[in-house]
Amino acid sequence: MNKNPVKYGLFAEAPDLLKSLPALKKLRKRCPAYIKQAESAQKICRRFARQEMLPRVLETDEKCRHDPAYFDWALWKRANELKLTIAAVPEKMGGLGWSALSNAVMVEELASACLASASNITFNTFGLLGALVECRTGTVIKIIQQMVEAQKKGRPLFWSWAITEPSAGTDMEEGAAMAAMRPSTRAEKVDGGYKLNGSKCFITNGSLAHYVIANIPTDPSSPRDSMATFLIPTDAKGFSVGRVERKCGQKASQTAEIFFRDVFVPAENMWEPPGSGLRHTREILSITRGYIGVAALGLAKGALSRCVDYAARKNLGGRRLIDEAWVRFIIADMAKDIEVFRNAAYNFAVALDARHVWQMFEVLPVRAALKMLPESILGSSAMAGMARRNFLDSAGTYLKRRLVDDETIEEFVSHGSAVKVAGTDMAVRTASRVLDIVGIEGMDAAHGMEKYFRDAKISQIYEGTNQANRIDVFNHDIGAVL
Amino acid sequence: MNASLCHDIMKECGKFARNEIRPCALDLDLDPDKERIASIWHKSREMDLPGLLVPESFGGGDMDGLCAAMVLDCLAAECAGTAIHFAQHFSACAALAAAADEKKELLFQKLADTDKTGIMASICLPADLSENRLTVTEDILEGVSPPMGTAELAGGMIAFAQTTEEPPECLALWIDQSTPGVSTGKPLHLPGLKAVAFAPLACRQVDLKEVITLGRGKAAEHMLSAAHRAFYGLVSATAMGCARTGILQADQYARQRYQFGRIIIDHPEIRRMIGAMQMKLTAGTAAYLDLFNETGIRPAFHAPSAALTKAFCTEAALEIILDAIQIHGGYGYMHEYGLEKRMRDIKVLGLMGEVNPYLQVRHVAGK
């Protein structure tokens, strides 16, 4: 029997971006470099998914079952060598300069091999995403330089976005809910900065992070009006990590409790002032929710790819499992779901490039600086120092607020929520139906399909439960016109 | 069925499940220790649970499938994996009950537990969608069966084989675990029902004289049909029991968890979700109870199918548990809450025997 997998989905020749998204051909005529980059990203990432991830993800999953704190550093280092950990950083500053579209391609391809490992590689962008909200030029450049320097040295530099608290999950993500929440954290103004106390839970990479970006209220009796965003170095005195959670799936990605006990952060580490924390969260959600949908797309694609391959090999004594008509109908139905959703997901990704923070890399002053200044200056501490000067520092904020206003953010929260709900519901359904085809023999861990089923469920929960996401879709698209 | 006796049995089983199964259910999920499972089985003998379906004349409880299903619902409320050991055993008893009288005599003696030496039995069903099968050629049993539960713990099992001659003939066999040439193959590594070892039964050059032939041809097919009916019905009850606790957990959590300014049970969407879960549980429970309804009182057009009942109940249970996890948010995905284990367990239940879509196709095809 042919040892090569059936060339479908994850196992197909890349790039096949324009085959699966033919509408992009029109865009290629106007922006050839944009599409070319996405095709190149797909080729790199699919090769990485197949050659680097697939051979090890099942073993890693098993190791994490015994030890939730196990981390596959070898895989992460390989991704880091390819700069996948800093893909969004402009090329001139040391990254890959990948657009939102190319980043979506990366998320889909990596998640098709393993959602958890994909998170480990791509969640590094949280630092940059967080900094781009306020978009102080100095802060953004400093963070980019830190990320690039760490990448060059092969050192991890992990950022965690710490939102959830033991008594507040979705409450941290929606205005009315935040106003009524019962916070577990508190920030107290002290000389030169803030003293932080309390705990956060279910924090992705909380156990590995070098920096945590956290929303903490200065007045717990009035959380919405006092919610502020802090950058917290995890080597700060009083910061500690609790247990790494034992989860159903996504085991290769660590989830931990974190504790603040009189953690002091200087005033400059307050990224958003009291009252603006919710806006910070909403802006990040306006990007990340849609990407969770894209990751779910990858998961569904990976599950179906493995299922097709298994069913094509499975001998039932003279016929193959895939020759059964009922199997073909279910597979066709799943392929239909994936194809339809892929169009919705990539529409979101292209919209991010066109109308969200990715525009910042396209505006004249930024483009000119990236074009004219040599790499040595862009990466220098003098550059970061100069950018922190008042005028330049606030120019970034001004420019960005003009490009991405509050209405745009809410529009993207709604759009991203719709993509997230549709994608993650589809992923759970697909991962489950795949097992209905391959049966108990195909469910054996060695075939890799049961892992997709375990991994998929959390995608309906994190980044706001799908119920909370539906509230955002309704409020923005329908509630507003009632 | 003696309703009052059944009620007492349920009460005792509930106590047994809470005291003996609940404390170790999550541990068994992480470390499926055979000794611990065997000790639960032995403990169950104190209430004569293994002999539930064994006729009274052999010292058994003489109860029917309905009672067995309700017992499994009860046990699965704490751990579906532990319950499946009993489901396999009871299915073997149900198959045996369909055998000829002299064969029953031979074997119920083995399964009866009057002197506390009764063995755990299992059932090894053929599967159309597996390339593995047991065949008999000139009185030699050969081959590998599809994966079966309790492969390692059972002292013996009822297996079904086919002769290689034309036309093929079905054989129902009792195979002791210690029979020369009989072994269990490599266990599957499944995501759920961790307390159960799923492995194929491997037979190499086994002389039919070494095993007990319980039936051939029509008699064997009759036993296979009884085994399927019991097995699918009991899997259905197991799925419902497992989901039932999921609903209770979701309901309790929703009454404590504060979100959006109030406890979440006060949110209409959470109420709708729990209502839908209860609706599915009610329908699934009614379906498996009806399957074992021996009175024969039902509409003429309604002939319950064990296979479809299993398909319905396992799918309904999965939907229930996915929503129970959803209501719990991140906590539902964590091991110590036990819900994610239920999700994994139920998914495996849905794949036991034949897969659900195939059962639907086969039912209508009239196989």
Side-chain angles (χ1 to χ4, degrees):
Chain A
M1 184 178 280
N2 189 358
K3 280 186 178 170
N4 295 321
V6 176
K7 291 186 176 177
Y8 173 76
L10 169 61
F11 303 113
E13 296 296 340
D16 57 3
L17 190 67
L18 296 187
K19 202 172 141 196
S20 51
L21 294 163
L24 288 181
K25 283 181 188 166
K26 183 79 178 169
L27 201 53
R28 183 170 62 175
K29 284 188 182 155
R30 299 195 54 150
C31 319
Y34 180 63
I35 299 299
K36 203 174 160 194
Q37 183 196 65
E39 287 188 303
S40 162
Q42 192 189 44
K43 205 169 171 180
I44 292 167
C45 293
R46 190 168 297 170
R47 194 189 306 133
F48 184 82
R50 286 219 300 250
Q51 293 179 1
E52 306 288 345
M53 294 172 80
L54 280 185
R56 52 196 309 140
V57 292
L58 298 181
E59 191 186 332
T60 301
D61 184 71
E62 182 59 15
K63 284 179 179 166
C64 293
R65 192 168 80 83
H66 296 288
D67 174 15
Y70 174 80
F71 191 85
D72 185 359
W73 285 112
L75 181 67
W76 184 88
K77 280 181 179 161
R78 187 72 192 106
N80 194 50
E81 282 164 18
L82 295 172
K83 297 188 178 181
L84 299 182
T85 51
I86 54 166
V89 169
E91 211 171 349
K92 195 74 179 284
M93 297 187 79
L96 294 173
W98 282 1
S99 62
L101 171 66
S102 297
N103 272 282
V105 166
M106 172 169 69
V107 170
E108 183 192 342
E109 294 302 330
L110 302 191
S112 68
C114 174
L115 183 57
S117 303
S119 308
N120 291 337
I121 294 163
T122 58
F123 279 12
N124 232 34
T125 49
F126 267 144
L128 182 57
L129 268 185
L132 281 169
V133 173
E134 183 68 0
C135 212
R136 288 186 211 137
T137 316
T139 310
V140 172
I141 289 179
K142 188 180 158 192
I143 283 180
I144 287 178
Q145 287 177 349
Q146 280 180 297
M147 289 170 74
V148 171
E149 195 190 335
Q151 187 276 331
K152 277 183 187 160
K153 290 180 178 165
R155 280 202 323 245
L157 179 65
F158 280 30
W159 307 77
S160 275
W161 188 38
I163 294 299
T164 307
E165 300 188 353
S167 57
T170 46
D171 276 358
M172 292 295 286
E173 300 181 6
E174 205 269 341
M178 185 180 273
M181 71 177 278
R182 296 166 177 172
S184 314
T185 51
R186 177 183 192 151
E188 191 186 333
K189 182 90 182 82
V190 293
D191 195 22
Y194 286 84
K195 193 169 72 181
L196 312 178
N197 277 290
S199 66
K200 297 270 184 183
C201 62
F202 306 142
I203 307 305
T204 304
N205 287 340
S207 43
L208 300 166
H210 299 82
Y211 291 98
V212 167
I213 302 159
N215 263 6
I216 298 177
T218 53
D219 175 7
S221 67
S222 181
R224 181 178 174 168
D225 295 336
S226 71
M227 194 62 76
T229 308
F230 295 93
L231 176 70
I232 306 150
T234 56
D235 58 2
K237 195 178 165 199
F239 178 90
S240 62
V241 177
R243 65 177 170 185
V244 176
E245 302 284 359
R246 194 179 285 282
K247 310 191 295 282
C248 174
Q250 282 241 54
K251 291 177 187 289
S253 164
Q254 296 187 14
T255 307
E257 291 173 294
I258 56 174
F259 299 98
F260 311 107
R261 191 171 174 189
D262 292 337
V263 173
F264 173 78
V265 289
E268 66 182 47
N269 281 30
M270 182 190 268
W271 275 9
E272 293 286 348
S276 296
L278 177 65
R279 190 191 178 281
H280 186 275
T281 301
R282 300 289 286 177
E283 181 158 347
I284 294 192
L285 289 176
S286 72
I287 297 169
T288 53
R289 280 185 178 172
Y291 272 116
I292 295 296
V294 176
L297 166 69
L299 184 145
K301 180 175 87 175
L304 184 57
S305 308
R306 291 233 197 200
C307 171
V308 167
D309 186 52
Y310 179 90
R313 289 162 189 277
K314 179 73 175 171
N315 185 348
L316 304 179
R319 69 193 200 284
R320 302 172 304 172
L321 180 58
I322 206 161
D323 293 331
E324 296 277 314
W326 63 272
V327 171
R328 293 185 172 200
F329 268 86
I330 298 176
I331 286 177
D333 205 42
M334 292 189 284
K336 170 265 293 173
D337 286 345
I338 289 172
E339 187 174 333
V340 168
F341 178 71
R342 180 177 284 116
N343 282 279
Y346 280 94
N347 181 41
F348 176 81
V350 173
L352 284 175
D353 281 318
R355 301 196 46 236
H356 211 302
V357 73
W358 267 268
Q359 291 177 93
M360 281 297 287
F361 301 119
E362 296 293 324
V363 292
L364 195 59
V366 178
R367 247 179 38 201
L370 288 172
K371 193 168 180 184
M372 289 189 304
L373 295 174
E375 285 173 41
S376 56
I377 291 186
L378 283 169
S380 68
S381 53
M383 177 75 193
M386 193 171 73
R388 269 199 295 275
R389 284 185 194 152
N390 263 348
F391 167 70
L392 269 180
D393 209 28
S394 51
T397 310
Y398 173 77
L399 197 56
K400 198 227 137 193
R401 288 275 159 98
R402 281 189 59 125
L403 289 171
V404 187
D405 58 18
D406 286 356
E407 177 48 34
T408 306
I409 289 169
E410 285 308 311
E411 194 183 307
F412 271 88
V413 168
S414 168
H415 188 181
S417 300
V419 169
K420 193 244 178 191
V421 173
T424 57
D425 285 356
M426 185 267 290
V428 170
R429 198 168 56 242
T430 303
S432 179
R433 293 178 86 189
V434 155
L435 296 176
D436 289 340
I437 289 176
V438 301
I440 212 154
E441 291 174 352
M443 197 191 215
D444 186 85
H447 298 298
M449 286 173 277
E450 61 84 26
K451 179 176 171 299
Y452 290 104
F453 175 70
R454 285 185 290 110
D455 287 353
K457 180 60 200 167
I458 192 62
S459 68
Q460 291 179 312
I461 296 169
Y462 59 21
E463 231 64 6
T465 62
N466 280 6
Q467 283 66 31
N469 277 252
R470 285 185 175 95
I471 291 173
D472 277 321
V473 172
F474 183 89
N475 285 348
H476 186 269
D477 296 348
I478 299 144
V481 296
L482 288 178
Chain B
M1 184 180 70
N2 181 331
S4 140
L5 179 59
C6 191
H7 180 76
D8 290 345
I9 293 172
M10 305 311 312
K11 214 168 142 189
E12 286 305 304
C13 281
K15 225 187 287 173
F16 173 75
R18 282 190 301 277
N19 295 339
E20 304 298 332
I21 300 177
R22 184 187 290 178
C24 61
L26 289 179
D27 290 347
L28 282 175
D29 184 56
L30 295 177
D31 174 22
D33 177 8
K34 261 188 348 187
E35 299 299 319
R36 213 158 169 189
I37 297 158
S39 107
I40 294 174
W41 176 265
H42 290 302
K43 197 95 183 165
S44 76
R45 287 168 151 184
E46 288 171 13
M47 49 191 283
D48 294 328
L49 199 52
L52 193 74
L53 296 189
V54 174
E56 202 173 359
S57 49
F58 297 101
D62 208 23
M63 299 304 286
D64 58 10
L66 182 58
C67 183
M70 288 162 74
V71 163
L72 282 172
D73 188 320
C74 231
L75 302 182
E78 301 301 340
C79 175
T82 307
I84 281 300
H85 290 91
F86 291 89
Q88 296 271 146
H89 178 82
F90 291 154
S91 299
C93 291
L96 193 55
D101 285 346
E102 70 275 14
K103 305 290 182 188
K104 280 185 206 170
E105 198 150 332
L106 261 175
L107 276 166
F108 271 133
Q109 217 61 267
K110 264 180 188 285
L111 305 185
D113 209 23
T114 43
D115 54 358
K116 304 297 170 205
T117 56
I119 61 168
M120 183 195 289
S122 190
I123 191 95
C124 180
L125 296 166
D128 292 350
L129 298 180
S130 172
E131 59 200 310
N132 295 333
R133 56 207 63 221
L134 298 173
T135 57
V136 173
T137 309
E138 292 174 357
D139 287 350
I140 297 296
L141 177 64
E142 271 284 355
V144 175
S145 77
M148 55 176 280
T150 66
E152 289 171 339
L153 273 181
M157 67 228 49
I158 292 177
F160 295 88
Q162 270 203 332
T163 57
T164 51
E165 69 212 23
E166 281 299 328
E169 190 181 35
C170 180
L171 268 80
L173 308 166
W174 171 267
I175 304 175
D176 273 327
Q177 191 70 269
S178 56
T179 308
V182 172
S183 60
T184 47
K186 192 179 161 208
L188 296 184
H189 186 169
L190 299 179
L193 298 182
K194 296 271 188 190
V196 190
F198 281 89
L201 177 73
C203 297
R204 183 175 293 175
Q205 290 284 309
V206 178
D207 194 324
L208 273 195
K209 287 181 200 134
E210 302 281 350
V211 303
I212 300 170
T213 303
L214 298 168
R216 293 186 84 107
K218 290 271 181 236
E221 282 166 21
H222 179 56
M223 286 181 70
L224 178 58
S225 169
H228 267 136
R229 184 167 176 275
F231 180 74
Y232 285 142
L234 296 175
V235 168
S236 307
T238 305
M240 285 297 109
C242 191
R244 190 182 310 280
T245 305
I247 297 180
L248 282 175
Q249 279 182 265
D251 188 88
Q252 277 168 10
Y253 182 84
R255 289 174 196 282
Q256 291 162 9
R257 179 70 173 174
Y258 178 89
Q259 207 84 144
F260 281 81
R262 48 194 162 152
I263 51 168
I264 63 174
I265 195 86
D266 287 342
H267 292 282
E269 175 59 4
I270 301 293
R271 290 182 179 182
R272 186 201 63 76
M273 287 169 81
I274 295 177
M277 289 154 79
Q278 287 173 347
M279 174 188 79
K280 288 166 192 166
L281 182 75
T282 306
T285 305
Y288 88 69
L289 291 177
D290 184 48
L291 181 70
F292 290 111
N293 173 7
E294 304 289 352
T295 64
I297 304 169
R298 54 170 62 92
F301 58 83
H302 177 72
S305 150
L308 295 188
T309 302
K310 175 254 185 181
F312 179 82
C313 288
T314 53
E315 283 172 18
L318 184 63
E319 286 172 17
I320 288 170
I321 221 69
L322 286 170
D323 273 354
I325 292 175
Q326 195 68 18
I327 286 170
H328 277 75
Y331 292 104
Y333 200 65
M334 304 300 147
H335 184 258
E336 67 264 37
Y337 276 72
L339 282 168
E340 61 86 28
K341 171 185 178 292
R342 291 179 189 281
M343 178 187 88
R344 292 183 279 114
D345 287 348
I346 289 170
K347 191 64 212 178
V348 181
L349 287 174
L351 306 189
M352 286 180 75
E354 303 282 15
V355 295
N356 293 341
Y358 180 69
L359 288 176
Q360 289 158 347
V361 172
R362 201 173 67 168
H363 173 78
V364 177
K367 277 194 185 177

